[in-house]
Amino acid sequence: MTSESTVIESATFAFLDIETTGGNSARDRITEIGIRFWQAGEVVGEWQTLLNPETRISPFIENFTGISNEMVADAPLFEEVADELEEQLKGKVFVAHNARFDYGFIKSEFRRLGRLFSAKVLCTVKLSRRLYPEFRRHNMDALIARHGLARVQRHRAMGDVSAMLAFFEHARSEKGDGKLDKALRELLQRPSIPSHLPSDTLQDLPRGPGVYRFYGENDVLLYVGKSTNIAQRVASHFSGDHNSARGVRMSESLRRVEWTETAGELGALLLELKQIKTLKPLFNRRSRAAKNLVSIELSKNEAGYLQARLVREIEPHRLGDYFGLFRSKRDAERALSGIAAKNELCNRLLGLEPEHEGPCFQRALGRCKGACEELENVERYNLRVQIAFHGLRLKTWPWKGPVGIVERDERSGRTDILVVYNWMHVATLHEEEELADLSLSGQAVTFDLDSYKLLIGALMDRKKGGHERQQVIELPAIGEPDVLMP
């Protein structure tokens, strides 16, 4: 009997590194690719090229990589090497340090040509964490220093490839084939995903906060969700956590996954709410926009008694004058009926009975103390009304003007400044310098029940000292947005 071959014996590993014009694969381009092929303990070939990125390389990137505009001026375009590169990587394990970066750029370059690229991917950052969990840092400079690896020309493709392969061979020597093979099998094992999705879908997804979107055939939006770890959350949709009939139907319909990263959870929550309400995905049931948002306003009648009326045109700058936010007239009337019954208030003054001569219907049943006939002392009645409605009073905006809620993601280095005014999310910026040019005038913003509740929790808790991770910047008066009601 022969034992099952190990991954080390059976696979060909393509250790790959790229240099680019920047860090955004949707906008920036590749300037250099270097690959070294390794099989069963031996280097079996290599492939490298500079690339003309069809855009200028900034002075900062020139300094960082040593690759100048002059060096790539006569280099081939990606489309000229795409066929050869695809053939070189066919059937190989794609190995890179922080593989999501390199793999994402390669996929983006193929996508620009209208082609799909897919491979088994091994990230040597994850491999280092798996084999050496006692260490905190796993970037390439840390690995070189920690394991005594040979110095290389950093931030050039073949130099970084050499360092990566040296780490791999060092780990094999130090940990042995058994431990290395076990780690490789675990890292290369792909979770189950719907059959219509590319097999590497989960490898592309970020591990930080944000919003993800599922699309079906003809680009129909199926679902919008949020998470503090997008990749983990999307993977859970394809596991046994979502075995409901609805989940199965959604998985069968799924053809594409998109995402938007944020710097923190609050930004993800606000973006999720906005996209659910504006894009109306098929499988989202909660948080749909209310068709007729209703509140309650109290005012005195000619006799001085407080009476209630339903209002649909809510003015966010005077929220403290309103009581409760309801998704429909029926919900508001149900709340009024409960308040009337619990506090023996007059149904007619609360708008639950039409105006007519004589006492209200509840008075005849002994459930009204006579305000409808002006028999109850007006001050006493009004005090009872104020006490009964106190818990429903909406929160007045506690700042003089808008504020910027700053969220930072240390993992990605991303910063979001969420501009909020009168409990409405107005804009998201990324640099404090952008605040100087911000104007709210003319911006259309919808006053929304779910966002109101969300921001009440986030900002009021912080004023009490509950959210010290969030910095709040008070902004000067920068105009008034145009408020839309759902």
Side-chain angles (χ1 to χ4, degrees):
M1 287 180 61
T2 59
S3 61
E4 181 184 355
S5 65
T6 65
V7 177
I8 299 170
E9 293 170 337
S10 60
T12 300
F13 296 83
F15 289 85
L16 179 148
D17 186 77
I18 62 172
E19 301 304 328
T20 67
T21 60
N24 187 324
S25 63
R27 180 184 63 238
D28 298 310
R29 305 296 298 273
I30 298 174
T31 57
E32 185 179 36
I33 303 174
I35 312 172
R36 191 161 287 151
F37 301 98
W38 187 95
Q39 185 179 44
E42 294 183 8
V43 173
V44 294
E46 63 180 48
W47 187 88
Q48 64 178 314
T49 185
L50 288 169
L51 291 174
N52 184 331
E54 301 179 85
T55 186
R56 294 288 296 173
I57 303 173
S58 71
F60 172 79
I61 295 295
E62 279 195 352
N63 263 348
F64 186 69
T65 64
I67 300 174
S68 67
N69 287 290
E70 291 72 22
M71 290 169 63
V72 299
D74 297 322
L77 305 179
F78 183 85
E79 64 182 305
E80 295 175 305
V81 303
D83 289 342
E84 185 181 358
L85 176 62
E86 188 173 36
E87 187 61 32
Q88 291 282 353
L89 294 174
K90 188 175 181 180
K92 314 291 196 306
V93 176
F94 184 113
V95 188
H97 205 67
N98 188 15
R100 186 167 161 259
F101 178 87
D102 302 78
Y103 188 57
F105 265 91
I106 296 291
K107 282 174 66 74
S108 288
E109 292 285 6
F110 274 104
R111 194 178 296 121
R112 287 187 182 95
L113 303 177
R115 296 164 60 171
L116 295 177
F117 174 80
S118 178
K120 281 189 175 181
V121 178
L122 173 66
C123 177
T124 48
V125 173
K126 293 181 180 179
L127 181 63
S128 179
R129 286 179 180 149
R130 185 67 59 99
L131 294 174
Y132 300 95
E134 66 272 24
F135 296 110
R136 188 173 66 88
R137 297 174 62 81
H138 299 272
N139 61 58
M140 187 56 72
D141 290 324
L143 298 191
I144 291 171
R146 181 157 66 235
H147 301 296
L149 307 178
R151 296 288 169 179
V152 296
Q153 186 180 7
R154 292 283 285 114
H155 309 302
R156 285 300 301 269
M158 290 307 288
D160 288 344
V161 163
S162 297
M164 192 173 14
L165 181 53
F167 162 70
F168 185 85
E169 291 180 326
H170 172 84
R172 182 188 184 196
S173 172
E174 187 170 74
K175 295 296 183 178
D177 281 8
K179 282 189 177 180
L180 178 60
D181 193 72
K182 181 174 184 293
L184 293 175
R185 288 184 184 278
E186 290 170 352
L187 291 172
L188 292 171
Q189 185 178 24
R190 298 187 179 189
S192 173
I193 63 172
S195 58
H196 295 292
L197 284 180
S199 59
D200 56 0
T201 295
L202 295 179
Q203 293 168 351
D204 287 349
L205 296 173
R207 269 62 183 170
V211 169
Y212 57 92
R213 295 170 293 279
F214 291 166
Y215 290 87
E217 289 184 349
N218 301 318
D219 250 12
V220 172
L221 182 61
L222 303 175
Y223 185 80
V224 174
K226 71 88 191 170
S227 179
T228 54
N229 184 322
I230 294 175
Q232 189 177 74
R233 180 59 177 156
V234 170
S236 76
H237 277 277
F238 309 147
S239 71
D241 297 341
H242 294 265
N243 276 338
S244 66
R246 177 171 163 270
V248 170
R249 287 200 314 275
M250 186 166 67
S251 289
E252 289 175 346
S253 304
L254 188 55
R255 296 295 183 274
R256 182 166 65 87
V257 181
E258 279 189 356
W259 63 91
T260 304
E261 293 182 74
T262 63
E265 185 175 16
L266 180 59
L269 283 164
L270 288 168
L271 181 60
E272 178 196 33
L273 285 173
K274 180 179 179 180
Q275 293 194 345
I276 289 173
K277 293 171 195 298
T278 57
L279 303 178
K280 297 179 174 59
L282 293 179
F283 285 89
N284 284 94
R285 291 174 183 162
R286 66 178 185 84
S287 302
R288 290 290 184 94
K291 291 181 180 178
N292 297 294
L293 202 58
V294 179
S295 189
I296 300 167
E297 189 174 29
L298 299 177
S299 60
K300 290 182 180 179
N301 65 9
E302 292 180 357
Y305 289 90
L306 284 173
Q307 58 185 6
R309 73 179 185 94
L310 301 184
V311 289
R312 291 184 175 84
E313 296 297 323
I314 297 167
E315 300 176 65
H317 66 275
R318 52 182 290 259
L319 284 181
D321 296 335
Y322 301 120
F323 298 85
L325 284 171
F326 306 94
R327 296 183 186 277
S328 67
K329 177 183 176 182
R330 179 181 296 179
D331 288 347
E333 289 177 339
R334 190 179 296 121
L336 284 170
S337 295
I339 289 171
K342 184 177 180 180
N343 298 278
E344 296 183 317
L345 299 178
C346 176
N347 272 21
R348 195 164 74 211
L349 289 174
L350 293 187
L352 296 172
E353 287 184 23
E355 288 290 333
H356 58 83
E357 293 292 329
C360 69
F361 180 70
Q362 297 297 315
R363 173 69 170 158
L365 300 177
R367 296 172 185 165
C368 167
K369 295 181 181 290
C372 47
E373 299 180 282
E374 300 181 15
L375 296 177
E376 183 177 1
N377 176 274
V378 64
E379 286 81 11
R380 178 179 172 79
Y381 179 79
N382 289 347
L383 179 61
R384 293 199 305 111
V385 170
Q386 290 167 354
I387 292 171
F389 279 84
H390 176 75
L392 285 178
R393 185 184 290 273
L394 302 183
K395 300 288 186 186
T396 302
W397 182 245
W399 287 276
K400 292 180 180 179
V403 299
I405 307 171
V406 183
E407 290 193 306
R408 292 187 176 89
D409 181 7
E410 293 181 5
R411 185 179 179 280
S412 66
R414 180 189 177 97
T415 296
D416 287 345
I417 304 172
L418 311 171
V419 180
V420 178
Y421 188 36
N422 283 326
W423 310 115
M424 296 178 292
H425 176 216
V426 181
T428 298
L429 308 178
H430 304 290
E431 301 286 347
E432 288 194 27
E433 290 76 13
E434 295 177 73
L435 294 172
D437 300 323
L438 178 67
S439 172
L440 303 188
S441 299
Q443 291 203 40
V445 187
T446 300
F447 182 78
D448 170 68
L449 172 59
D450 295 298
S451 296
Y452 167 79
K453 290 179 177 178
L454 183 62
L455 290 166
I456 283 284
L459 286 170
M460 297 310 291
D461 283 355
R462 192 195 181 281
K463 284 184 76 71
K464 298 173 187 174
H467 283 261
E468 293 306 322
R469 290 179 302 170
Q470 292 172 343
Q471 176 191 0
V472 174
I473 305 171
E474 292 194 49
L475 305 178
I478 46 180
E480 294 284 338
D482 297 331
V483 180
L484 307 177
M485 298 306 299

